[in-house]
């Protein structure tokens, strides 16, 4: 279990904390969902031992990270949000080096590197220098280095960021599979990624965990609270409702902020994850459209 107890992380003295007195238990796989700037990457960096809380403690399976900072390296395989890669090395050299550092027997390294490259569909890129890989391939290379490690925890920061739709689908399928067999913590800004670990979705906002829920529960909360109406000034001026324009510009979605009103304001729309998320974040005091 990951136990986060009253943790504060501040990057610069005087600036507001990226994580503010965060207390959270994570048992098994979890998904951390939230807008940009919510503190997701900061939490993952702290789990990987790359940033140090100014207050509080993180326990990884009962190991306190502040007192045993090197333990994080042995316990957490980490995929950063940034494409940190040695530019001149080939993918094969890079993965081989990491496999040796991780303690694979030298005779097993070659096969391990190939297997992990297969998992992320980068087998044919093994001889390429990392600097020549596309953005999506770099993301997959970083995922591969995390998968190579045989740690109790796998921590992935925005594994689908910058991928094309096809790459996204295959990385999602892979991460979904992994999250059922290993303990995986995934951070994402994309609602579509919530299905990766649907049973434990932790919603982040402004350095705090504002909800810990199951995706289905969360989605259901939006049912019966979304309508489509033609986009007219009158439709979007009602002070009680949130709204968002739809593609095409002719219609808007109206979101009931609390219980459904007596009279339906428009055509009811089936509740989608995106709606549930938008409604939830707006209730949390997020920015209102219009
Ligand atoms: P998220 O991953 O949810 O987008 P981050 O953890 O990256 O959130 O950022 C949380 C806050 O910390 C933001 O206000 C961001 O500007 C700040 N921050 C993140 N990384 C750094 C850094 N390396 N130096 C200074 N400020 C940072
Ligand atoms: Mg981030």
């Amino acid at each position: 279990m990951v136990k986060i107890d009253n943790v504060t992380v501040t990057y610069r003295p005087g600036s507001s904390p990226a994580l503010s007195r965060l207390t959270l238990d994570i048992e098994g796989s979890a998904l951390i969902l939230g807008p940009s700037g919510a503190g997701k990457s900061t939490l993952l960096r702290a789990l990987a031992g790359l940033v140090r809380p100014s207050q509080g403690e993180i326990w990884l399976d009962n190991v306190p990270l502040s007192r045993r900072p090197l333990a994080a390296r042995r316990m957490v395989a980490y995929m950063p949000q940034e494409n940190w890669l040695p530019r001149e090395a080939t993918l094969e050299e890079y993965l081989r080096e990491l496999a040796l550092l991780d303690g694979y027997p030298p005779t097993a390294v070659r096969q391990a590197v190939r297997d992990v490259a297969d998992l992320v569909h980068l087998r044919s890129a093994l001889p390429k220098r990392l600097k020549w890989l596309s953005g999506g391939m770099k993301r997959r290379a970083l995922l591969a280095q995390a998968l190579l490690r045989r740690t109790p925890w796998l921590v992935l920061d925005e594994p689908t960021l910058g991928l094309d739709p096809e790459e996204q689908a295959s990385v999602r399928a892979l991460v979904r599979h992994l999250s059922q067999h290993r303990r995986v913590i995934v951070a994402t800004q994309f609602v579509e990624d919530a299905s990766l670990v649907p049973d434990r979705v932790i919603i982040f906002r402004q350095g705090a965990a504002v909800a810990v829920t199951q995706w289905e529960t969360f989605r259901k909360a939006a049912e019966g609270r979304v309508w489509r109406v033609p986009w007219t000034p009158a439709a979007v001026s009602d002070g009680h409702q949130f709204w968002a324009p739809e593609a095409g510009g002719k219609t808007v979605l109206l979101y009931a902020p609390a219980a459904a009103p007596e009279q339906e304001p428009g055509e009811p729309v089936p509740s989608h994850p995106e709606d549930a998320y938008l409604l939830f974040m707006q209730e949390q005091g997020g920015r209102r459209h219009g």
Side-chain angles (χ1 to χ4, degrees):
M1 173 153 98
V2 175
K3 204 167 173 52
I4 299 153
D5 183 23
N6 202 31
V7 162
T8 297
V9 174
T10 309
Y11 284 100
R12 275 181 296 258
S15 66
S16 52
L19 291 180
S20 183
R21 294 177 160 271
L22 178 69
T23 294
L24 184 65
D25 290 348
I26 304 177
E27 220 169 314
S29 295
L31 184 113
I32 297 174
L33 173 67
S36 182
K40 306 180 297 296
S41 293
T42 302
L43 174 61
L44 267 49
R45 282 181 208 132
L47 294 176
L50 299 174
V51 300
R52 197 174 263 252
S54 57
Q55 177 189 18
E57 182 62 276
I58 296 176
W59 278 271
L60 279 176
D61 299 332
N62 298 321
V63 176
L65 284 193
S66 74
R67 275 168 274 163
R68 297 190 41 204
L70 291 180
R73 295 195 169 261
R74 285 195 302 275
M75 298 179 71
V76 174
Y78 169 65
M79 173 189 182
Q81 180 174 339
E82 301 79 8
N83 286 345
W84 290 328
L85 286 165
R87 291 173 46 80
E88 299 298 332
T90 66
L91 177 60
E92 182 154 27
E93 287 163 353
Y94 171 63
L95 293 176
R96 175 184 290 272
E97 191 73 19
L98 291 170
L100 288 169
L101 281 175
D102 197 71
Y104 281 80
T107 50
V109 166
R110 192 182 168 82
Q111 195 57 46
V113 165
R114 288 184 173 192
D115 289 346
V116 81
D118 280 340
L119 273 181
V120 299
H121 303 293
L122 282 181
R123 178 77 170 257
S124 61
L126 281 173
K128 292 202 171 125
R129 284 187 199 273
L130 292 164
K131 67 179 174 186
W132 300 124
L133 300 188
S134 71
M137 291 163 92
K138 284 183 176 141
R139 296 305 292 149
R140 287 183 281 139
L142 283 160
L143 179 57
Q145 62 77 30
L147 295 182
L148 194 54
R149 302 204 39 222
R150 298 158 299 176
T151 53
W153 291 88
L154 187 55
V155 167
L156 309 176
D157 200 353
E158 305 280 0
T160 63
L161 185 68
L163 303 183
D164 68 34
E166 201 180 319
E167 290 176 315
Q168 271 182 22
S170 78
V171 165
R172 283 199 184 116
L174 176 58
V175 175
R176 195 177 299 126
H177 175 78
L178 285 167
S179 73
Q180 287 156 10
H181 296 92
R182 289 184 65 178
R183 295 188 291 176
V184 186
I185 297 176
V186 190
T188 182
Q189 55 189 281
F190 302 112
V191 177
E192 299 88 323
D193 284 343
S195 65
L196 298 182
V197 196
D199 292 344
R200 197 175 291 107
V201 177
I202 301 169
I203 298 179
F204 257 57
R205 185 167 182 272
Q206 292 179 354
V210 292
V212 181
T213 183
Q214 297 199 337
W215 183 247
E216 188 54 18
T217 312
F218 183 55
R219 193 190 60 75
K220 276 197 180 135
E223 258 168 26
R225 300 173 61 187
V226 188
W227 300 274
R228 178 174 294 123
V229 297
W231 192 345
T232 63
V236 299
S237 67
D238 184 334
H240 298 294
Q241 281 156 339
F242 302 112
W243 60 277
E246 284 198 287
K250 293 208 171 77
T251 52
V252 295
L253 294 180
L254 291 182
Y255 297 89
E262 281 177 17
Q263 205 180 347
E264 301 249 20
E267 172 203 345
V269 172
S271 153
H272 288 291
E274 292 78 2
D275 298 322
Y277 184 57
L278 189 57
L279 202 50
F280 181 82
M281 291 314 260
Q282 281 165 336
E283 277 167 7
Q284 291 289 319
R287 194 173 70 85
R288 198 185 141 181
H289 291 261

